[in-house]
Amino acid sequence: MPATKHLPKTFLWGFATAAFQIEGSTDVDGRGKSIWDDFCRSPGTTLDGKNGDVATDSYKRWKDDIALLRQYGAKAYRFSISWPRIIPLGGRNDPVNPKGIEFYSDFIDELIANGIVPFATLYHWDLPQNLHDRYGGWLNKDEITKDFVRYSRVCFESFGDRVKHWITINEPWCVSVLGYGRGVFAPGRSMCPAKSSDGDSSTEPWIVASHTILSHALAVQLYRNEFKPTQGGVIGITLNGDMAIPYDDSPENSSAAQHALDFAIGWYADPIYLGYYPEYMKQVLGDRLPEFTSEEWTVVKGSSDFYGMNTYTTNLCKAGGHDEFQGFVDYTFTRPDGTQLGTQAHCAWLQTHPTGFRQLLNYLYKKYKTPIYVTENGFAVMNETKMPIDQAVNDTDRIEYFRGNCEALLAAITEDGVDIRSYFAWSLLDNFEWADGYTTRFGVTYVDYETQKRYPKESGKFVSKWFMERLSSGKEILSPTPSVAPLLNGRQLH
Ligand code: PNW
């Protein structure tokens, strides 16, 4: 058997979460409301009618979460900071909440004390509700850019002495398309009458996108000018995007695959890394695609130190679709011969396909020529929520997903020469899966929402072992600290 290939010593691996999906405690210690608070309370917005008031109770159980990370031996943890905890009313002249600062400050200290690198996201979809009410939130360029920059400044000042890896905005595609196009995410604006009576899906998503890009870029400019010289960290954006491959070898379906990549990824990545919008988007959208001024372009182009990559699946692409947000491309997992691309997850949009993951890593590196941090990758096992716990923790399909993608990641690094610096599995815990409520479980740790007890799934142990074995100086799996032992209800990693 050939010797096991190794990852670079500095490679960061671990697990990811987001504030609104795990914290709960939405009305304590001075937190303001976010756009998700009321959105998910309104009927029909979440599959199970549930909200984020408790979630995994991580605002209270954060020490247990860190103990769990330590038990898995994670080298890094990707979490997000809740803007309405830091600045409850959100705006640049609104007061900062000392309790919010204290919470994340203590959290970061505890991560570091446990040898875990903090990887912080500034915006994972929880806009302060007040900014939405006051001026339309992401729709208002002058206001939102200034308020986002001020919020970012507060975070750099408060945590930048210890946080050396910053992500500005998580998945702006979801913010635009799901929040202002399809209306399935907060703030739920859409022209789809079933979803909302407010909003213009033909213009708002494109406008919001340009404001998220600009806000990101201005926050990076601030960091580079005023903080990076002394704090010395890296900062970038995280984009979602799945590999797109042609359904068959017809020329129109080959173009369709590129069109899908242009609308899902190029929309954000081309401006940020290359300094222009994809030609195909300009063609389709005409003057609905907002232009940046030349001054704005100089801020936008080159505004990310790395490519933050969230990816879950691969789509087979057919020309002639009717969905503008997908670039008029139809997606399918069924090949021309009737077979499936991979194993079906609980969510309709997700199947396993490690080859596509490796292709996407190569595509992004070749096109954008920047180091890649894989910031999310994960799988929801079909019907896991209906299983008894001892069955759910035996999550074979999730293990196979991680095995395939981790091997593909290693091959991309060692055989294809792609510069990849991190891998974060989504997610540390089952949690509030947005419009799916709690019906879809992405965790490597099972959460019993009745008791809030955590049970490591086999996939969590798998990821942990896989990375330990491939890091030349991998740490041993640490024995559980006393605070975590009862939490695991007698289950141990080994
Ligand atoms: C990401 N889609 O969202 C988010 O960053 C996480 O907060 C989320 O829990 C995770 O993926 C799993 O869904 C996505 O419709 C939401 O293709 C929707 C899609 C993809 C990613």
Side-chain angles (χ1 to χ4, degrees):
M1 224 178 75
T4 307
K5 290 224 166 103
H6 277 80
L7 290 163
K9 269 201 180 106
T10 50
F11 192 87
L12 295 174
W13 72 273
F15 305 95
T17 60
F20 192 79
Q21 295 180 273
I22 64 164
E23 287 179 357
S25 300
T26 47
D27 60 354
V28 310
D29 289 347
R31 177 186 180 276
K33 265 192 186 175
S34 84
I35 52 171
W36 271 91
D37 289 42
D38 286 345
F39 175 77
C40 59
R41 241 183 273 285
S42 104
T45 52
T46 57
L47 274 181
D48 52 8
K50 295 195 173 144
N51 58 48
D53 287 358
V54 180
T56 65
D57 203 24
S58 288
Y59 187 75
K60 295 187 189 131
R61 296 170 192 260
W62 59 278
K63 284 198 177 163
D64 294 341
D65 290 353
I66 294 177
L68 188 59
L69 283 164
R70 184 182 160 94
Q71 196 181 334
Y72 284 128
K75 282 184 75 168
Y77 180 50
R78 175 173 176 241
F79 62 99
S80 84
I81 297 171
S82 157
W83 185 347
R85 281 197 203 280
I86 301 292
I87 306 170
L89 295 173
R92 57 197 175 281
N93 299 313
D94 296 321
V96 171
N97 173 24
K99 287 273 187 201
I101 304 279
E102 190 186 316
F103 173 75
Y104 292 106
S105 188
D106 290 350
F107 184 81
I108 291 161
D109 283 344
E110 179 80 1
L111 284 174
I112 292 171
N114 281 280
I116 300 164
V117 175
F119 222 97
T121 303
L122 292 167
Y123 186 74
H124 201 125
W125 309 350
D126 44 1
L127 185 77
Q129 177 70 46
N130 181 57
L131 301 186
H132 184 73
D133 298 343
R134 204 189 275 174
Y135 57 69
W138 287 111
L139 286 164
N140 188 324
K141 176 163 108 177
D142 287 343
E143 298 288 341
I144 196 71
T145 48
K146 292 190 180 100
D147 287 348
F148 183 71
V149 166
R150 192 280 187 128
Y151 160 60
S152 304
R153 175 188 290 282
V154 172
C155 291
F156 301 148
E157 278 170 358
S158 310
F159 316 122
D161 55 338
R162 290 154 291 160
V163 172
K164 304 299 170 191
H165 296 84
W166 291 101
I167 291 164
T168 52
I169 297 180
N170 178 73
E171 301 192 350
W173 185 96
C174 289
V175 175
S176 295
V177 172
L178 305 180
Y180 296 79
R182 300 196 177 132
V184 294
F185 280 11
R189 290 175 69 82
S190 173
M191 290 199 295
C192 165
K195 284 290 162 201
S196 161
S197 50
D198 252 350
D200 181 347
S201 314
S202 71
T203 55
E204 289 184 5
W206 319 109
I207 294 169
V208 163
S210 75
H211 299 170
T212 53
I213 293 174
L214 197 56
S215 299
H216 142 81
L218 289 165
V220 171
Q221 185 186 51
L222 168 74
Y223 185 75
R224 287 180 179 164
N225 287 344
E226 295 187 33
F227 296 92
K228 193 171 173 132
T230 49
Q231 298 182 347
V234 291
I235 184 163
I237 194 165
T238 274
L239 304 178
N240 56 303
D242 297 321
M243 189 55 200
I245 52 180
Y247 176 69
D248 56 22
D249 54 15
S250 73
E252 60 275 19
N253 290 339
S254 304
S255 322
Q258 186 56 51
H259 293 162
L261 291 167
D262 287 345
F263 264 73
I265 295 175
W267 180 10
Y268 297 92
D270 286 12
I272 290 171
Y273 301 100
L274 307 175
Y276 48 79
Y277 277 114
E279 271 312 311
Y280 178 65
M281 291 197 77
K282 292 197 230 172
Q283 242 178 55
V284 171
L285 298 171
D287 60 11
R288 285 185 294 136
L289 186 66
E291 249 309 339
F292 292 114
T293 64
S294 57
E295 207 179 306
E296 288 167 350
W297 272 119
T298 61
V299 181
V300 168
K301 186 182 178 187
S303 62
S304 202
D305 294 339
F306 54 83
Y307 187 101
M309 177 196 193
N310 284 3
T311 193
Y312 286 84
T313 196
T314 297
N315 293 299
L316 292 166
C317 296
K318 281 190 210 174
H322 297 286
D323 187 339
E324 188 172 72
F325 301 127
Q326 282 176 201
F328 298 111
V329 174
D330 270 337
Y331 292 172
T332 178
F333 291 129
T334 308
R335 296 191 184 92
D337 66 6
T339 58
Q340 293 295 291
L341 198 61
T343 304
Q344 182 62 49
H346 191 74
C347 342
W349 53 270
L350 172 49
Q351 285 198 357
T352 56
H353 193 56
T355 315
F357 180 58
R358 182 169 172 182
Q359 286 170 325
L360 186 60
L361 288 162
N362 276 276
Y363 170 83
L364 295 174
Y365 191 57
K366 198 163 157 217
K367 182 153 185 178
Y368 302 116
K369 301 183 174 61
T370 184
I372 296 173
Y373 285 81
V374 178
T375 42
E376 274 181 39
N377 189 236
F379 188 83
V381 174
M382 182 85 84
N383 293 328
E384 200 173 89
T385 233
K386 297 192 185 125
M387 298 175 190
I389 300 174
D390 56 349
Q391 192 184 338
V393 296
N394 266 308
D395 52 342
T396 318
D397 284 355
R398 190 179 283 106
I399 293 177
E400 288 318 310
Y401 178 91
F402 284 130
R403 189 197 310 279
N405 284 3
C406 290
E407 292 296 341
L409 173 104
L410 186 63
I413 298 173
T414 59
E415 291 169 39
D416 309 336
V418 181
D419 182 352
I420 308 168
R421 311 236 172 131
S422 77
Y423 182 88
F424 290 94
W426 182 271
S427 175
L428 174 66
L429 303 164
D430 292 334
N431 57 46
F432 177 73
E433 178 53 24
W434 309 110
D436 284 9
Y438 299 91
T439 59
T440 299
R441 292 175 178 267
F442 270 96
V444 300
T445 311
Y446 187 94
V447 176
D448 177 352
Y449 294 110
E450 298 294 312
T451 60
Q452 289 294 347
K453 274 193 184 166
R454 275 78 156 140
Y455 304 86
K457 299 179 192 176
E458 290 303 316
S459 63
K461 303 176 203 175
F462 172 82
V463 169
S464 163
K465 187 161 177 281
W466 193 92
F467 279 98
M468 299 278 185
E469 285 173 0
R470 281 156 191 84
L471 277 162
S472 327
S473 59
K475 293 183 262 181
E476 291 306 307
I477 292 192
L478 299 161
S479 53
T481 54
S483 75
V484 85
L487 182 83
L488 298 178
N489 204 16
R491 276 166 216 278
Q492 311 243 315
L493 286 182
H494 286 284

